[in-house]
Amino acid sequence: MRLSDAVLRPGTAVPIEERWAQFHRYGPYALLGLATVIAGAGAGHFMDRAEMRAAGVLGVAVLALQVWWGVRRPDPEEYARAGQIYYALRTVLAFALTWLNPLFSIYAVLGYFDSGHLLPGRRAYAGLLATAVTMAGSQAGGLPPASGLQWMLFGGLYVLNASLCLLFARFGVQEAERAKERLATIQALELANARLEQALEENAGLHAQLLVQAREAGIADERRRLAAEIHDTIAQGLAGIITQLQVVTSTTDPEVAGEHLERACALARHSLGEARRSVQNLAPAALEHATLPEALKNTVADWSRRTGVRARLTVTGTEEPLHDEVAATLLRIAEEALANTARHARAARAGVTLSYMGDEVTLDVRDDGRGFDPLAVAPRSGSGGFGLDGMRARAERIAGTVAVESEPGQGTAVSARVPLVRHG
């Protein structure tokens, strides 16, 4: 048993250990001095002159032993052989002094306090039992017992001392084990707290990184939205105006020229209004006072008048009020698909189908134009090719998809599929 471990307490281990270290360093000198003074005062009662001289010699030997141990012990290894030798010599000298004068047991009692500190394992119990012999002899009136009654008293006191020593030593061992368990638990909690703090720091770093990425993603998404809005409003409007003005410049008929000029002006006003609404992130003007089927019907009709291509809108399923964002997305996709048809397809007919299909809404724009190879579509450049990417980006923003089916000479079909989100 290690006494320092026996009194170990979480949070107070260092002060208690320091106090025990001070006791082990200075306690032997104090007890030896006290025992010498008291034993000297009672020397005439217990010792003759020869015993006094022997006690003096033994006292000098004990003092020398304490001085040697005081020099040796500053850095003692645990259960080192030097500590065991010191304990054995001190026990023998204390027994001899107590044999000469029972009052020297005041010094011999040290054996109870540092057996666990100096002796390993079972040797600590042997040290306690040996110290109990000295203490029982002193308590019985001195060594050796002078009569049978004193022997009986010595035997009884030895059993009492030995039992108490072993009992308290056992308690000390159990307390030390509990203290070690508490210390191990505290160390484990400290380690867990350290890991938790490290994890929190890492999470804080990741959170900051996610915020930066989210902000960058938001900026990129807004940039794509504005690019799509500009393409679908200003770019398409300008393209239509250019087409109308080309007709004006190529005709000599004032009536035809006036008609196309009027269309060019209407397109310019419409494009300006759409551009303003896009900047303000508002729904298209066509949806301001109309449902999606009504807006698509007007868009298809207007597109047919401007391009001269026959076109028709078909609505299937049960019509339901759609969320503004869903309706705006489908309308913009339809406008872009029709613009592509007018620009590239050279079609004679076109058809737009809006289908309500339970949890989904699909929009199909078909034409009988010259078609193209979807795999051979050139990457987007500054002069064109934004339409398909723009339609896909619009659909993906509301968890939808856009598919294109076409082949040379067989026309083109653009199909958008988005979740049916009802108007809140």
Side-chain angles (χ1 to χ4, degrees):
M1 178 187 68
R2 297 184 61 183
L3 291 175
S4 60
D5 289 340
V7 296
L8 188 63
R9 296 290 187 278
T12 59
V14 175
I16 291 176
E17 286 188 342
E18 288 181 353
R19 286 195 289 271
W20 274 108
Q22 292 174 352
F23 174 78
H24 290 310
R25 180 179 295 278
Y26 303 111
Y29 296 105
L31 291 177
L32 179 60
L34 180 62
T36 301
V37 170
I38 296 177
H45 181 71
F46 293 104
M47 296 183 292
D48 55 23
R49 289 188 178 278
E51 291 174 336
M52 290 181 186
R53 286 194 293 272
V57 173
L58 290 176
V60 172
V62 169
L63 181 61
L65 176 64
Q66 291 297 155
V67 171
W68 169 79
W69 180 243
V71 175
R72 172 67 180 82
R73 74 181 310 276
D75 295 313
E77 296 181 2
E78 189 177 22
Y79 309 130
R81 181 173 296 277
Q84 299 178 40
I85 294 173
Y86 161 73
Y87 187 90
L89 290 176
R90 193 191 64 191
T91 301
V92 172
L93 291 172
F95 175 79
L97 284 172
T98 305
W99 183 283
L100 296 174
N101 189 333
L103 296 176
F104 276 108
S105 63
I106 296 172
Y107 172 70
V109 76
L110 277 174
Y112 284 157
F113 293 101
D114 58 6
S115 63
H117 179 67
L118 298 174
L119 304 178
R122 296 181 181 276
R123 294 184 184 182
Y125 293 101
L128 291 174
L129 295 177
T131 302
V133 173
T134 303
M135 300 305 296
S138 172
Q139 294 162 3
L143 293 170
S147 62
L149 179 60
Q150 280 190 323
W151 273 107
M152 293 178 61
L153 181 60
F154 170 77
L157 290 171
Y158 178 75
V159 171
L160 177 62
N161 276 272
S163 299
L164 291 176
C165 288
L166 296 177
L167 179 62
F168 285 109
R170 183 59 183 169
F171 289 164
V173 170
Q174 293 177 347
E175 181 64 21
E177 291 176 350
R178 285 196 290 268
K180 287 182 178 179
E181 292 176 356
R182 288 196 293 270
L183 181 60
T185 302
I186 291 173
Q187 291 174 342
L189 290 174
E190 290 176 348
L191 179 60
N193 287 335
R195 291 177 176 173
L196 179 60
E197 291 178 357
Q198 183 180 3
L200 290 175
E201 292 177 357
E202 293 176 355
N203 286 337
L206 291 174
H207 180 67
Q209 184 178 356
L210 287 175
L211 287 177
V212 172
Q213 292 177 347
R215 185 173 61 181
E216 292 176 348
I219 293 173
D221 186 64
E222 182 63 13
R223 184 181 295 117
R224 286 193 295 270
R225 187 190 72 80
L226 288 175
E229 293 292 340
I230 291 172
H231 177 270
D232 294 345
T233 56
I234 299 176
Q236 289 187 14
L238 290 175
I241 292 171
I242 291 171
T243 301
Q244 300 302 323
L245 293 179
Q246 286 175 340
V247 174
V248 173
T249 57
S250 62
T251 183
T252 57
D253 187 345
E255 184 176 352
V256 174
E259 180 182 353
H260 285 278
L261 278 174
E262 182 61 28
R263 289 180 180 177
C265 291
L267 278 173
R269 288 191 294 269
H270 176 77
S271 299
L272 179 60
E274 290 296 311
R276 287 172 175 170
R277 298 180 68 85
S278 297
V279 171
Q280 297 172 0
N281 198 21
L282 297 176
L287 291 170
E288 188 174 6
H289 302 291
T291 63
L292 178 61
E294 293 170 347
L296 284 174
K297 182 178 180 181
N298 295 333
T299 297
V300 170
D302 182 64
W303 178 84
S304 180
R305 284 194 299 272
R306 284 191 288 108
T307 61
V309 179
R310 289 181 297 164
R312 187 178 65 176
L313 171 70
T314 303
V315 179
T316 64
T318 303
E319 180 181 343
E320 298 201 39
L322 297 178
H323 189 278
D324 293 343
E325 188 67 22
V326 175
T329 297
L330 293 176
L331 179 62
R332 292 301 190 197
I333 290 174
E335 291 174 341
E336 175 63 21
L338 290 173
N340 287 340
T341 298
R343 191 179 302 121
H344 306 292
R346 298 179 185 174
R349 293 184 302 169
V352 178
T353 303
L354 178 67
S355 303
Y356 295 87
M357 304 172 62
D359 295 333
E360 290 183 338
V361 184
T362 62
L363 174 72
D364 298 295
V365 180
R366 304 172 306 281
D367 66 63
D368 61 352
R370 60 180 180 175
F372 65 99
D373 183 0
L375 298 178
V377 175
R380 181 165 58 90
S381 64
S383 60
F386 187 84
L388 291 177
D389 289 344
M391 285 188 283
R392 291 192 177 98
R394 284 186 179 279
E396 289 172 357
R397 288 183 60 189
I398 58 173
T401 59
V402 169
V404 178
E405 296 181 1
S406 182
E407 59 181 285
Q410 300 298 320
T412 301
V414 176
S415 177
R417 182 185 298 269
V418 300
L420 192 156
V421 181
R422 294 173 177 81
H423 183 70

